[in-house]
Amino acid sequence: MTGPTAVSETLYTSLADQLPSFLSSALLQCKRLPTLPSVALNILDISRGAEATLSDYANAIEYDPALTARIMSVANSVHYLRAAQPPHTCFDATQRIGLDVTLATVLSFCLFENDHDARGRLQFWQRSITAAVVASYLAQQLCPHQSGSVFSTALLQDIGILALQTAYPGDAELLYGTENTSHQHIMQVEKRYFGCHHALVGAWLLAKWGAHDDLIHAIQHSHDGLDTQDNAALCLRLSGTVADAWLSANPADALAGVMRQLNALTPSSEWAMSGLLAHLQQTLPPLMETLGLSVPITVDSVVLLKEAQQQLFEHTLSLSARLDAQQKARETLLNDYAELEQRSRLDPLTQLANRAWLEEQLRERFQLCLTTKRTMSVVFIDLDHFKVLNDRYGHQVGDQVLAHFGKMLASLIRVGDLAGRYGGEEFLVILPDEDADNARRFAERITLRLQERPMARLDQEPIYVSVSIGVACLTDGGFGDERELIDAADQSMYFIKRSGRGGVSVYGQ
């Protein structure tokens, strides 16, 4: 472990004073923390490619707590303190330290050895990843400009558990190996064993590694109560609670408890629950499969939400019969609002964002980039010869092509990106913090995937489609507003149309 930076020296000393000396001595013997095997193997595979980019590494690293913490800490070390702002996301960190340092740090930190507590590690990784996805979704609703940093902080909130498992492998099974043990119970047991819980350990560990103060403070207080005026802190603290409910043996009952906590703070706190559960149901299974983690329970988010709402109703009814009519009316309004909110943002055929939501998000992100001097790219996609396909095979097959293309597009984007149907057979993807070259590579992955997979079948005959794609990056033109950025990508797309279709064009190149 490297020492803390001068920026965090005072904070590190304060945390070290709170940590029992025997515990800090044991943790100092842990030079490395275990890496999620699928992530380590993926990084090794990426490193073999001659054209691997920083985005490739950042996308692979950002779901592993140990690697994310290490990369962000290296980027905040004394060698990189000249930068104005500390890195708040894995992507920020890799951009700062560059490809060579990223690769050297990651490959030296990957650890392959027999896992003494496979079940405990599995539970840790499942909770960390689930919490990160929850926090990112909530942040996009409450504080979208902080969604990237909230995702990273939520991923790292329990890194103290990973450190304690590594430092005390003989006790890990007793502490963390029991399934369905509540997080509060784990913290109580840690307090009896070590004199403190893992949130303090995680904050101390990150301070020792030289992480920035905002991240350290957030980890230290990540398990505090939900009564806070800081939206980013609320997203972080709520993420672990929702993750525990999602992964519990009785998720509906656990979720009802979460909703009771929120209702104690504000009666309007259920605004995002249906959308959040639908997002988790859509996002987590393929993500866990990609990372080599199994989801313990197959969850139907609609059924889960209804069951949790019913339990919440029964709990309220037991307190006062006079709340019966009010509760029923409230549930009806909530369901109506959730349904309207869902309809207002999603295209029903492709289940991607609709045009109105795309334009609203692009407008907000365009202004954010201007004020924070960040960049982003948009990718404008048009399915080639779609009218001919409809005329030949019928509109039902055309709808199948659009729906399957939407699913394929959703599988290619990362957390924080936004893909949607812009109209007819046109699609738009917003890529925050991506330059034109990375956006072009993303577009080329789309064309390659379409060459490999048919978008529909008719009488066992595969139907392949091609696309014309235009890319525009905010920093490559003096765009006055988001409309001009879309128009630039649209013009580049039409250049491909006029050139014979089936390719990618970048505005300004």
Side-chain angles (χ1 to χ4, degrees):
M1 296 182 182
T2 59
T5 65
V7 177
S8 299
E9 185 67 43
T10 302
L11 179 57
Y12 170 73
T13 302
S14 173
L15 293 169
D17 290 341
Q18 301 175 55
L19 206 67
S21 58
F22 77 90
L23 186 56
S24 58
S25 298
L27 292 170
L28 287 172
Q29 303 305 313
C30 302
K31 303 301 182 184
R32 301 180 296 182
L33 299 183
T35 303
L36 188 59
S38 60
V39 173
L41 292 172
N42 189 21
I43 291 170
L44 291 174
D45 187 52
I46 292 172
S47 68
R48 297 187 188 104
E51 299 182 358
T53 66
L54 280 171
S55 292
D56 294 329
Y57 284 105
N59 290 338
I61 294 167
E62 67 177 354
Y63 288 107
D64 187 278
L67 289 180
T68 297
R70 194 56 167 159
I71 287 292
M72 293 177 67
S73 299
V74 170
N76 198 52
S77 65
V78 292
H79 302 290
Y80 301 95
L81 285 180
R82 290 188 296 268
Q85 296 293 331
H88 287 80
T89 68
C90 186
F91 183 84
D92 293 342
T94 56
Q95 287 289 102
R96 177 179 293 189
I97 66 180
L99 184 59
D100 292 337
V101 177
T102 295
L103 181 57
T105 303
V106 168
L107 294 185
S108 66
F109 199 61
C110 291
L111 182 62
F112 295 93
E113 62 178 15
N114 293 328
D115 198 339
H116 298 285
D117 182 27
R119 184 168 58 181
R121 294 271 167 79
L122 176 64
Q123 293 172 3
F124 165 80
W125 281 316
Q126 285 177 334
R127 186 182 194 270
S128 296
I129 292 165
T130 303
V133 173
V134 170
S136 177
Y137 178 89
L138 294 176
Q140 288 172 17
Q141 319 303 315
L142 296 177
C143 46
H145 62 289
Q146 295 176 277
S147 61
S149 60
V150 170
F151 172 90
S152 299
T153 307
L155 183 77
L156 297 174
Q157 63 181 297
D158 291 329
I159 197 170
I161 290 180
L162 200 61
L164 291 171
Q165 287 175 327
T166 306
Y168 294 91
D171 299 318
E173 176 70 21
L174 176 63
L175 287 168
Y176 308 110
T178 304
E179 294 184 4
N180 303 322
T181 301
S182 72
H183 210 68
Q184 287 298 322
H185 178 72
I186 287 175
M187 294 173 68
Q188 292 171 4
V189 174
E190 289 173 338
K191 195 110 179 190
R192 290 199 300 268
Y193 263 70
F194 306 116
C196 65
H197 55 66
H198 61 267
L200 176 62
V201 172
W204 174 86
L205 179 69
L206 290 169
K208 181 66 178 175
W209 279 351
H212 63 83
D213 287 7
D214 290 343
L215 177 60
I216 297 168
H217 277 296
I219 297 301
Q220 184 181 5
H221 299 287
S222 59
H223 294 63
D224 290 358
L226 302 181
D227 189 6
T228 174
Q229 300 301 313
D230 186 338
N231 284 336
L234 176 62
C235 295
L236 170 63
R237 298 175 190 179
L238 187 56
S239 68
T241 307
V242 174
D244 287 336
W246 184 266
L247 296 169
S248 69
N250 189 348
D253 183 60
L255 183 61
V258 176
M259 294 166 68
R260 282 198 294 272
Q261 294 182 57
L262 290 175
N263 290 341
L265 299 175
T266 169
S268 61
S269 59
E270 293 180 19
W271 46 264
M273 194 58 71
S274 62
L276 170 60
L277 295 181
H279 178 72
L280 292 179
Q281 185 180 25
Q282 180 181 11
T283 304
L284 283 178
L287 178 57
M288 293 294 188
E289 182 178 354
T290 300
L291 295 174
L293 302 172
S294 59
V295 179
I297 300 175
T298 300
V299 179
D300 185 324
S301 65
V302 176
V303 174
L304 173 58
L305 181 62
K306 289 181 178 178
E307 186 179 354
Q309 287 173 332
Q310 180 60 31
Q311 293 189 26
L312 179 61
F313 168 73
E314 292 175 356
H315 174 79
T316 306
L317 187 62
S318 67
L319 297 177
S320 174
R322 290 177 300 175
L323 296 177
D324 187 14
Q326 297 177 10
Q327 181 67 22
K328 288 180 180 179
R330 184 165 176 253
E331 288 181 354
T332 300
L333 289 174
L334 173 64
N335 290 334
D336 291 345
Y337 175 76
E339 184 177 350
L340 288 173
E341 184 181 45
Q342 189 79 352
R343 289 179 179 177
S344 70
R345 293 182 177 182
L346 291 184
D347 172 63
L349 179 60
T350 64
Q351 294 301 301
L352 299 176
N354 59 24
R355 178 166 180 164
W357 184 238
L358 276 171
E359 291 181 336
E360 179 180 339
Q361 286 295 295
L362 185 59
R363 181 167 54 254
E364 293 180 2
R365 298 182 189 200
F366 187 92
Q367 293 301 320
L368 175 65
C369 287
L370 293 184
T371 57
T372 60
K373 301 188 184 304
R374 294 166 65 177
T375 190
M376 69 173 173
S377 295
V378 295
V379 178
F380 201 99
I381 308 166
D382 186 273
L383 273 63
D384 295 330
H385 304 296
F386 190 73
K387 184 178 183 303
V388 176
L389 185 147
N390 268 334
D391 292 342
R392 179 178 178 183
Y393 297 108
H395 289 281
Q396 186 174 2
V397 173
D399 286 348
Q400 291 180 19
V401 169
L402 292 174
H404 290 160
F405 181 78
K407 290 182 180 178
M408 184 273 291
L409 195 58
S411 70
L412 293 177
I413 62 174
R414 66 179 186 179
V415 174
D417 299 340
L418 182 64
R421 186 181 180 190
Y422 199 68
E425 65 273 20
E426 296 177 335
F427 294 80
L428 185 73
V429 183
I430 303 172
L431 301 176
D433 298 313
E434 292 287 12
D435 59 19
D437 288 338
N438 287 330
R440 174 179 54 79
R441 293 187 184 94
F442 170 79
E444 289 171 348
R445 285 199 291 271
I446 296 174
T447 61
L448 180 61
R449 187 70 62 87
L450 289 174
Q451 294 171 15
E452 298 171 344
R453 298 184 183 179
M455 289 293 100
R457 291 183 181 274
L458 185 63
D459 297 330
Q460 302 303 315
E461 176 189 353
I463 298 175
Y464 291 88
V465 298
S466 65
V467 289
S468 298
I469 302 179
V471 173
C473 180
L474 179 60
T475 54
D476 291 339
F479 303 113
D481 54 36
E482 72 281 353
R483 286 297 321 167
E484 293 183 6
L485 183 62
I486 294 178
D487 290 342
D490 191 25
Q491 293 172 22
S492 299
M493 182 273 293
Y494 272 106
F495 173 79
I496 295 296
K497 287 285 188 187
R498 292 191 297 269
S499 302
R501 294 178 170 83
V504 179
S505 175
V506 178
Y507 179 78
Q509 296 183 10

